[in-house]
Amino acid sequence: MKGINGKILKVDLSRREYTVDEKGEGFYRKYIGGRGFALYYMHKEMDPKVDPFSPENMLVFAGSILVGAQGPAIPRLTVCGKSPLTGAFGESEAGGFWAPELKKAGYDAVVVTGRAEKPLYLWIKDGEVEFRDASHLWGKVTGEVQEIIREEHGDRQIHVAQIGPGGENLVRFGNISNKLGHFNGRCGLGAVMGSKNLKAIAVRGTKNIELAERDKVLELNRWTAKDGMQTSQGKRLHKSGTWTTVRSNHEAGALPTRNWNKGQFSGVDKIADESWQESIAREGRGCFACPIRCKRVVEVDDDIKVDPAYGGPEYETVGSLGSTLEIDSKKIIAKANELCNKYTLDTISTGMTIAFAMECYENGLLTREDCDGLEVKFGNGEAALSLIDKIAHREGIGDLLAEGSMRAAEKIGQGAEKYVHQVKGQEVPMHDPRVKTGVGLQYALAGYGADHMKAPHDTGFASENSNGFKTLRPLGLDKPVDPLSLSADKVRLFYNLEVYWTLIDILGCCCFGYVPVGPVSLEQLLELIKAVTGEHISLKELMEAAERSIDMARVFNNKIGLTRKDDRLSDKFFEDFSDGPLTGTGGIDRKEFEQAVELFYRMMNWDPQTLEPERSKLAKMGISWIRED
Amino acid sequence: MKVKVRLFGHLREYRPGNYSNNSESEVEIESGSTIIDLARKLEIPEKELSFALILVNARQADSRKKLSADDVVSFVTISDGG
């Protein structure tokens, strides 16, 4: 098979040793990449019951069979490990440049175990691996670290996946940054790096990856750059990135506001797409070889300074550090985003944890004294910025909040848990399941905690004219489904969409490049895979690989002891809206939701109580070995 | 009959001339008109509607839905991620 190195780097930080695992074509074809690679090693070589902060936890940095090829939107770096936030299988994808660079450096993935005695970073260049002292980097923010490592090696093209103080200080939602503006944001995997005393992995590769039909790959990228960028999706993503969602959700009465107590924000005009475009937005950036360049960049240079090197807030961040906190100052949101990025804190969990603290404060569960003299009220941007500093350094109230909102509520007691909105301990993202029930299914069912990127959202499948329905029809979608429905048709739609989106993830593709969100079609995706690998891999085989990885994640969680009660959606979403156009309506019917969840388990051939896949299902997927215990 | 129209995201360029500061305008349409009829009046190409989240009084609606007087119709961009 072309397009791969056939080599996976395995690093033991405790022994300061590494080995190279050479895998044949069968492995790549079966597991494809991303979580597929990661779960293979996590099942084979780690005890799922270990403490996430123990040396025995594994952290896998994975590309895929496609990553590294100069095709459209295939830059993704998947990081997996046991999550300190959820205590379950953890996974997060990032864009950027690191995964393609690793591939050029000779490896398809890096599997890290152990704990270094002192802070170090890994330096991987063209197949060579060095353990380098990082004591001079510990405590530094990401911009400084990237600069120092590049200086040390005299090479500006080095790419660095790294943690700042948030990861070092084991903030349970610490993330991993590459090129300062791309993040493996969720599940607290940056804190796992911190627990291993692993400050960074720096990579540089100068070799080209051999592709089966390089010209064809480049032709597909040229199509995306020219014709694809003329499509509505291409134009919109390039111009506005994800910012248009602020207005979309507000118009639907479902923009998370004041810790989800409201669905519309009075300050929306100040934080919607147009407002950013007309003020502090700068030219957007992109990822490796991708012509779409959807990444936002902002710059502020007055009483508050915001460094454009750290990119800009995406929709999720505008929601979590803006409307959710009732902050309508773009400068504050931009600064909050920059601080999270420098310190490597996930902006969703950071914002949601601060929103939780604000609601506790407003209701007398936290006092000014508890909060180190800060007035932690909704709308107080200065307090939010101070809290981000405190969380990253675990100072004062920040030490409590660094545990995440669920654990903080347990410590505060007094009923504080009613202000927490999470699944498996991971704070919910900025899409309201009350206006698109499939999003509720993703939040509840994602093995790695509430996530909004597990499947395309219901809104694109509501009519035969919807772009989502039209472009993904070859997956077997037979009819449009109402966004509010929880019928068997909705569960079937969700099942197909989840498997497809998982496929996009394990291929290392970005969902903003491919249908239904991006311009590249299913047919073009299959052409691309053939052009990179030289192999005819059918859609059926690919979808099966994706479903296999979903089963593998589920079994990993089975082994830890997670059950149906862990797939529980926050109570908030079963309540009606209390403001805006949907006042008095919207609450999801709990019984219908539970029935839909159960139907999904049955579609997956998982026991509806224990969630164990049937043995025959594992045999069908060719992974009986993961349950040989 | 009159309906209120709100246009955002990739469809903002189709805002009519009387679009106000509070981000909407009144549009006169024949009674019995559907969303598609309204979109034609606003000169929104039909293919763009595939990418739009169309809300009537904040609830997602099919483009063939018949409108009533005083309905608020929002055309916004469908977005999944971020």
Side-chain angles (χ1 to χ4, degrees), chain A residues 232-233 236 242 244-245 247-248 251 274 314 316 453 456-457 459 462-463 465 467 470 483 517 581-582 585, chain B residues 6 8-10 12 15 23 48 50-51 53 55 57-60 62-64 74 76-82:
Chain A
S232 187
Q233 307 104 300
R236 187 223 344 139
T242 55
T244 53
T245 309
R247 183 68 74 175
S248 307
E251 286 293 296
E274 297 157 47
E314 302 287 336
E316 287 296 325
M453 299 296 283
H457 295 187
T459 39
S463 86
N465 293 323
N467 181 57
K470 286 195 292 194
V517 181
L582 302 179
T585 66
Chain B
R6 299 167 64 78
F8 299 103
H10 72 289
R12 62 183 288 217
R15 288 173 178 177
S23 279
E48 294 291 358
S50 303
F51 306 99
L53 172 62
L55 302 159
N57 306 321
R59 286 185 172 75
Q60 187 167 0
D62 188 275
S63 55
R64 289 162 297 193
S74 303
V76 294
T77 300
I78 286 188
S79 300
D80 279 5

Side-chain angles (χ1 to χ4, degrees), chain A residues 158-185:
Chain A
I158 290 170
H159 289 294
V160 183
Q162 58 159 319
I163 55 168
E168 293 172 10
N169 294 320
L170 310 187
V171 177
R172 285 187 189 269
F173 44 88
N175 68 19
I176 300 167
S177 148
N178 82 80
K179 213 176 180 193
L180 309 187
H182 306 274
F183 304 92
N184 298 95

